[in-house]
Structures are given as structure tokens and as C-alpha cells.
Amino acid sequence: MRKIDFEPEKPPSTVHRHRTGIEGLDDLLNGGLKPGALGLLIGPSMSGRGTLARQYFYQGLKEDNASIYVTTKNFTEDIVTLMEEKKWTLDAYTEHYVFIDAYSPQSDPSLKDSVDVKYVSSVADFARLTNAIVSSMSENLARGVLNQRVVFDSIDTVLMYVSAQGVYRFLSYLRAKIKGFRSSSMFMIEPDLHEERQVRTLFQLADVIVELKPDEGIVQVTQPGLPKRRGAFRVGDTGCIVVPEPLD
Amino acid sequence: MRCGVATVNLFRVGIRLVDERLRLAEGPTRVLFISSPGIDPAPYGVNSAVAALKEGLEVTYLVNNKPADAIRAVADLMGFDLEEWESTGQLRILDSFSGYMNIPSNEEHRLDTPQDTNAMIESICDLTSEGNVVIFDSLSSYIDMCEGGETDGMERLMRVVGSLCEEHHFVGLFSTWGYEPKNIQTIREAFDTVLALQPVERLTIVRQFLRAEKIDGQVVPDFVVPIKVMQPGGVRVFFPKILVTGPFHSGKSSIVQAISTSSVSVDRLGTTIAMDHGYLDYKGFAADIFGTPGQENFDPILEYLAEEAVAVILVVDATKPDTFPRARTMLQLTKGYALPLVVAANFSDLEESLTPDQVRDGLGLQSNVPVIPTIAVRGSGAEELLEMIFELLMSEEGLTLGDGEKEDNDEED
């Protein structure tokens, strides 16, 4: 009788996560952000919030993900320059990333889209902004790139011009789209700029909250159903450094 | 607050089929474009503005969620040059955005205090003489930008709409960003004509439909048409695939060329070996045309080429009834019997050609299937083919072509 070798049953695969590229932070996040997760990245100015977001964006490119960066308060060129200062050069990753720039058209409305930048004339134009983000995710998916990540820098600017209710409605829709595409995301917000009630409302949308507390030099991670995790946080020459506090 | 006494001209929104019904209206027209999030309603506002400008009406286009230049850019993409209308004062773009953002503006018409509802109404009335057109882009952003939230925004918005609708044609653009259902209903009720822009979504929007909920206050059942913003071209009732099929050397490529605004054929040694493709822009309708090869060795791909076709033009050589069995086979392969079908009886100028009735009988088709005599290489019969295929498509959609089509044709000539 012919012997048939059956493949041993494989253990169930763990959910692939989108690493931030910051080893200690990935530990606090149990490996990174889950696909479909909406992350809120909270912290005051000069807290290292932007560096963390850019590192997460760049890590996506290093892992053959597609990365989308929505900027509402900086020129695209300035973000690229900040990345180059950390040696995070984008040249090798053309067509794997796109900037959605809702800031630059305020000073130059004649800007035309390019391969790596889509311009939206205003952060208050939710239809166009959503369209730019969703069409970018769709284009990536059409190219067979299944792992995507989105940085939204930042909600603060949107809240300056649109009511908190309006922003909540907009983000609710965007959240559903991000989940549909199984993208992970980091939405940046500086709570001190807004009323606490507004910020608390937006917290309801988050699957994970990463909060930077520069006075204490720590980062705190909050995920539903899990204990809060903390770690020491600082920005070094090559990126963010997180040293997790041990679990109790 | 009211602007004055109404004396209004007829108004169109520049969308075939909707306009044919709007023409019946005698008073001011209140049109709401209500769109799902993710569909940008601005092109529909621009399209309406251009249609009104072409009718000789004056237009005030209020924009509150982007710079005025963004509207000019949208128009530019759609192939409309607003400059001349702006220079003559027939079109005024009212910048209500920079006031919100507190940024400088070089616009001639600008609202410095857009939060002040009365000032907004006054400015619009000052700019827009009675009977002319106000386009409000966007109603939803107006609500979102009110500091008092949705309830306050709704109250202010209803004042604006109520004040402006009495004496002006008014077009409002509204995106449904999860507002209270009762508020959305209130907005719907404030307009006589409600045109819903709805997506077919598979993660991203793959197609758009326009559903008329009501026109001039009358509920319109089953009014749903596929629609697309052509760049350039503007808003068109759009059919994504009309298939042209038929036996080898029946003249399919020539028919595709004759009915298309532009076309391309993948040929080798004078015959189609992959497919013909054309784009058609005709009296407010647009369509993509796909032509199949006729040889039997391409039959395996016919089914795929025919996928998602909405109508079929069967091309036969009217002098060769011996090819009709092959034509029937191709209709089966392309599922053409189940779709709106028109037969092009080609080479109809030749002495031995069969009459349309003989062609229909030879193909074993029912008496209601239209057979149009054509001479494809000369383009003869092409217009009749188009008229017939769109009439069938519209009746499939539960609509019929109105009397306006003759007028449209004369204008284009």
C-alpha cells in the first residue's frame, strides 16, 4: 500500500501587523498596528509626534507596504526634508507612496497632481479629501499592494475650520473606508488645542491611542480590552526610541 | 429677508433627461444635488452653472469649502472656460471660503463674514438679479462650519435657502455626512427637484448613478440613469459598454468608427484580431463602444468581451444571408438576446441587399427588434443606430426620450 504523507497541521497564523519601525513601541502595540486599525497619535508640539508618524510611514515603505501621508499644515517638500534629515529617503520607493497635500494649494492654487503628490484645495472640502485618500488606497490595491498605511497630519487643522460634529462625521466615514481596505492609520491630534469634550468624542473612533507625554518622557499605549502600556520615549538621530516598562 | 419680485427665465442643469422635464417649469427652480460621501458634487454645480450661462442667465456661484480657483480648476478639467463669462460679469464666483479661513483673497466677490447669515443673503441678493441663478457649494459644509453645530447650522441654512429660493433659481450641493435623518429630510423637502448622486461601490466608487427623487415637485418613479463626469465634456448620462458584434467582414469596425466620437482598432491584415474600442459623446449621452472580432477562432473570448454590456448592435452583411446562422451564434455567445438589441443591416446600398424585414426574418428575430439599413464606410445610418440604441436603453431604464432631442440636435448642427 502506498504511504501517504499528510502535511502536519499548521498552527493558526497570527494576525499580520503593521510595525511602526520603533522596536519598543511595536512591543507595546503587541507587534504593531492591526490592519484596519485607526490609531490616534496624541501629543503636544515638539513632542516627537511628527517624527513618530514619519517613521511609521517610512517603515511601511521598507516593508513593501504602500504609505499615504495626508498633510493639512505643512508643505510636502518640508515633510520630505524632515524625513531626509533622518536618512529616510524616498527615491527607492516611487509609486509606493503618495502625499495628499491639502496645505500647499493655499499658497499656490495652480499646483497640479504628480505621481507622488495629490493636491486638495482645502481641508474643509471633505468630499475631495476623502476622494483623494480612498482613490489612493484603491490604486494601491489595484496594483496588488494589500498592506497599506495612512498618516493624517493632522486633525487639528480640520477642527480649526469645521465643527467637531462635522469632523466626527467625516472621520467616521473615513474610518469605515480604512477598515474596508484593511489599512492601518495614524491620525495626529494635539488635545490642548481643543475643548476636552471634542477630543473625547473623537477618542470613540480610535482602535488604539498612542499618547506622547514629553514632560514625563514617556509614551502610553491604550487599546480596548488590554492594560495600558507605557515606555520611555525620546527622539534620537535615527528616529524614535522607546524602552517599554515591564508588564506588572 | 427677500430679494425682490420674481421674474424668472427657464433654467437647465445641463443633464439630458432631467432638463427635458425641467423645461416644463415656469417659476424659480430649486434643485438639490444630494450626494453620498466620496462623490464630489462640485462638478454638478459647475455643470449647472455652465448650462445656465449658455442659456443667457446670470450665475452667482457661492463656494465655501475651497478657494474660488478650485471651482475654475474643476471647470477647466471639464473643458469649460469660465473666463469670458467672468469678464463680462455674467458669472460671479462668490468667495465665502477665505473669510472662514481668515486668509487673504484676491477675489472680486468675497464674503468677509460668512458666519453672518443675513450678510450672506444680502450679498447674494445684491449680486444676483431676480430670475437668475444661485449655486450654493456646499450646503453640507455650511452646516459643518457653523460653530453652533448641526442644529444651529440647519436653522441658518434653512433661512438662506428660504430667502434665496423665492426669486432665484437655486442649486444646492449637499453631501450626506451622517447628519440627523430628520435634517436630511428637511433639506430634501425644501427643494422641488432632488437629484441623488449614488455610487456603485466595491471599496472604491466604480460607477455613479443619478436618481431623480422628484422633479418640479413631482415624484418620478424609476428615474435612475448611469452618469459620469467626463473630463473634458461635463456631466453625461453614461453607458459603460455597448457591444458591437457580428460575423467576419460584416463591417463591425466601420460601424464602431461611424458611431464613435473617437475610436481605435486592433487589426492585423485588415481584420480585427482583438477588439475595437470607441468613445461616443452624443446629445448628452456618453458610452464606451466595444467591437468584437468576427472569426470563429475568437469565440472563446466573446463571452468575456461581452461581460457587463448594456446593449448590443448586431452588424450583418445584408447581401449575405448565408452568414446569418453565424450571427445568431454570436448573439447567443454574447447574450445579446437578453439585452437591448439593434441590427445594423450593412451594405444596404448594394442591389442584392435584403430589406430590413427580410433581415429580421432571416435572423429569426422578433418583430420589435429594430433593423437599421447602414452603409458603414460612409457613416450612413449611424445616427439612426444611435437614436435607436439610446431609445432602447432609456426604455430599459424606465424612461423615454423626450421631445427635446430634436431641439438639441438642431443646436449642435
Side-chain angles (χ1 to χ4, degrees):
Chain A
M1 185 181 286
R2 190 162 69 92
K3 187 183 171 193
I4 300 173
D5 289 326
F6 288 99
E7 290 248 337
E9 193 174 329
K10 289 178 182 169
S13 61
T14 53
V15 177
H16 170 73
R17 287 176 177 252
H18 294 175
R19 294 192 299 154
T20 62
I22 305 160
E23 196 173 331
L25 181 58
D26 286 332
D27 286 348
L28 297 178
L29 289 163
N30 298 325
L33 288 172
K34 282 183 189 173
L38 187 144
L40 274 186
L41 177 51
I42 299 174
S45 302
M46 316 299 281
S47 63
R49 188 178 64 148
T51 308
L52 194 156
R54 292 188 289 275
Q55 192 161 359
Y56 159 74
F57 171 87
Y58 190 70
Q59 183 65 22
L61 301 179
K62 291 202 312 194
E63 297 190 6
D64 282 336
N65 294 184
S67 295
I68 297 165
Y69 198 110
V70 183
T71 170
T72 64
K73 61 172 194 173
N74 289 300
F75 296 108
T76 295
E77 304 91 83
D78 291 344
I79 296 163
V80 172
T81 303
L82 288 168
M83 293 182 75
E84 286 171 347
E85 285 174 5
K86 299 287 181 202
K87 306 273 191 288
W88 301 333
T89 52
L90 299 174
D91 298 350
Y93 301 107
T94 306
E95 294 189 358
H96 280 258
Y97 69 90
V98 67
F99 287 92
I100 296 170
D101 187 337
Y103 182 72
S104 301
Q106 288 181 31
S107 57
D108 183 0
S110 67
L111 287 166
K112 302 282 185 204
D113 290 357
S114 63
V115 174
D116 46 11
V117 188
K118 291 180 180 178
Y119 294 101
V120 176
S121 50
S122 151
V123 293
D125 189 354
F126 287 164
R128 305 255 346 208
L129 193 53
T130 308
N131 208 300
I133 297 168
V134 173
S135 66
S136 298
M137 289 194 289
S138 176
E139 286 156 15
N140 290 328
L141 191 65
R143 289 190 294 113
V145 183
L146 303 181
N147 287 299
Q148 306 192 46
R149 48 183 72 191
V150 178
V151 172
F152 196 101
D153 176 12
S154 68
I155 301 172
D156 302 318
T157 325
V158 189
L159 275 168
M160 285 171 70
Y161 303 119
V162 179
S163 70
Q165 282 182 343
V167 175
Y168 183 84
R169 283 189 287 266
F170 162 65
L171 291 181
S172 298
Y173 179 81
L174 204 50
R175 179 179 191 261
K177 287 292 172 190
I178 284 169
K179 288 195 176 299
F181 279 94
R182 307 280 298 151
S183 306
S184 65
S185 58
M186 287 265 196
F187 284 69
M188 295 158 70
I189 185 167
E190 187 174 342
D192 294 346
L193 295 179
H194 316 287
E195 290 175 24
E196 187 180 349
R197 190 168 50 87
Q198 295 177 345
V199 178
R200 292 280 161 209
T201 306
L202 297 179
F203 278 10
Q204 294 174 32
L205 295 169
D207 298 299
V208 55
I209 296 172
V210 177
E211 185 171 7
L212 301 180
K213 299 181 176 181
D215 293 345
E216 302 173 52
I218 65 163
V219 57
Q220 178 172 285
V221 172
T222 308
Q223 300 183 80
L226 294 172
K228 282 185 181 172
R229 301 281 317 269
R230 289 157 56 106
F233 175 86
R234 72 181 173 87
V235 177
D237 291 342
T238 56
C240 301
I241 299 163
V242 172
V243 181
E245 291 178 358
L247 278 169
D248 293 335
Chain B
M1 180 178 297
R2 292 177 58 164
C3 301
V5 181
T7 312
V8 292
N9 301 311
L10 292 177
F11 170 64
R12 309 162 79 176
V13 293
I15 301 174
R16 180 79 193 264
L17 303 174
V18 175
D19 285 336
E20 286 164 4
R21 285 161 172 78
L22 280 178
R23 283 176 201 199
L24 302 173
E26 288 180 354
T29 307
R30 293 176 283 185
V31 179
L32 177 68
F33 284 101
I34 182 166
S35 65
S36 300
I39 293 182
D40 181 9
Y44 295 87
V46 169
N47 204 70
S48 301
V50 169
L53 291 163
K54 285 180 177 173
E55 289 287 306
L57 292 161
E58 293 178 13
V59 174
T60 299
Y61 194 114
L62 178 141
V63 55
N64 60 11
N65 60 9
K66 49 191 164 282
D69 271 339
I71 293 304
R72 297 183 184 103
V74 169
D76 191 45
L77 281 175
M78 294 167 75
F80 303 133
D81 184 1
L82 302 182
E83 194 176 342
E84 191 175 329
W85 286 310
E86 284 200 83
S87 65
T88 60
Q90 193 185 343
L91 169 66
R92 293 164 295 263
I93 300 180
L94 178 55
D95 172 11
S96 174
F97 172 75
S98 52
Y100 272 117
M101 299 287 160
N102 202 22
I103 54 177
S105 169
N106 295 324
E107 292 298 323
E108 183 180 351
H109 309 290
R110 171 191 158 134
L111 273 177
D112 290 323
T113 55
Q115 298 88 346
D116 184 338
T117 305
N118 289 335
M120 171 182 278
I121 295 167
E122 263 177 42
S123 292
I124 294 172
C125 288
D126 286 347
L127 281 174
T128 320
S129 55
E130 62 203 43
N132 285 295
V133 181
V134 176
I135 295 180
F136 200 110
D137 179 2
S138 84
L139 304 178
S140 35
S141 293
Y142 184 79
I143 296 171
D144 291 341
M145 289 170 160
C146 277
E147 290 172 356
E150 184 172 346
T151 306
D152 179 44
M154 274 299 296
E155 188 270 323
R156 288 164 176 260
L157 181 64
M158 286 301 99
R159 272 168 54 206
V160 173
V161 173
S163 300
L164 297 173
C165 279
E166 294 295 318
E167 291 87 23
H168 304 100
H169 298 296
F170 187 89
V171 178
L173 310 184
F174 181 73
S175 299
T176 52
W177 291 100
Y179 300 98
E180 290 282 339
K182 66 175 169 41
N183 289 336
I184 296 177
Q185 187 57 26
T186 301
I187 289 173
R188 278 192 161 98
E189 287 170 1
F191 289 82
D192 302 317
T193 297
V194 177
L195 306 172
L197 305 169
Q198 297 175 327
V200 175
E201 284 185 282
R202 293 181 189 125
L203 281 179
T204 185
I205 294 168
V206 292
R207 244 177 243 168
Q208 291 181 23
F209 283 86
L210 181 145
R211 184 166 64 83
E213 297 177 6
K214 56 180 174 177
I215 294 180
D216 290 336
Q218 302 294 312
V219 173
V220 189
D222 304 325
F223 188 123
V224 181
V225 288
I227 204 152
K228 189 171 183 180
V229 179
M230 310 304 297
Q231 296 178 343
V235 177
R236 292 281 186 273
V237 177
F238 177 72
F239 298 100
K241 187 185 257 188
I242 294 175
L243 195 73
V244 176
T245 192
F248 183 56
H249 274 175
S250 56
K252 295 179 294 299
S253 296
S254 300
I255 288 285
V256 170
Q257 286 171 27
I259 64 176
S260 298
T261 312
S262 60
S263 67
V264 63
S265 178
V266 183
D267 284 352
R268 185 171 184 272
L269 300 176
T271 192
T272 302
I273 55 152
M275 65 173 209
D276 298 302
H277 179 256
Y279 166 69
L280 162 61
D281 189 348
Y282 180 74
K283 295 187 186 175
F285 295 115
D288 280 329
I289 311 290
F290 290 80
T292 74
Q295 298 171 72
E296 288 180 27
N297 50 344
F298 289 104
D299 281 0
I301 66 166
L302 278 189
E303 191 181 331
Y304 300 106
L305 284 175
E307 267 181 9
E308 297 189 343
V310 295
V312 172
I313 296 173
L314 175 68
V315 185
V316 295
D317 183 339
T319 68
K320 291 182 179 169
D322 56 312
T323 63
F324 289 5
R326 169 67 185 153
R328 285 200 292 269
T329 301
M330 295 186 80
L331 267 187
Q332 285 168 351
L333 289 171
T334 57
K335 299 183 172 61
Y337 286 110
L339 295 170
L341 170 66
V342 180
V343 177
N346 205 16
F347 303 105
S348 62
D349 55 326
L350 299 182
E351 204 170 292
E352 62 272 32
S353 65
L354 303 177
T355 66
D357 286 340
Q358 289 171 321
V359 170
R360 187 183 299 107
D361 290 345
L363 288 166
L365 296 170
Q366 292 184 334
S367 59
N368 61 349
V369 175
V371 179
I372 310 291
T374 59
I375 310 164
V377 290
R378 289 191 220 149
S380 172
E383 180 142 352
E384 290 84 348
L385 268 181
L386 290 175
E387 287 289 331
M388 192 53 71
I389 204 77
F390 284 122
E391 189 169 320
L392 289 176
L393 278 166
M394 286 298 94
S395 59
E396 282 287 301
E397 300 286 344
L399 303 167
T400 52
L401 293 179
D403 297 334
E405 74 196 49
K406 181 68 173 66
E407 272 179 47
D408 281 354
N409 199 22
D410 292 344
E411 283 168 14
E412 286 179 14
D413 288 343

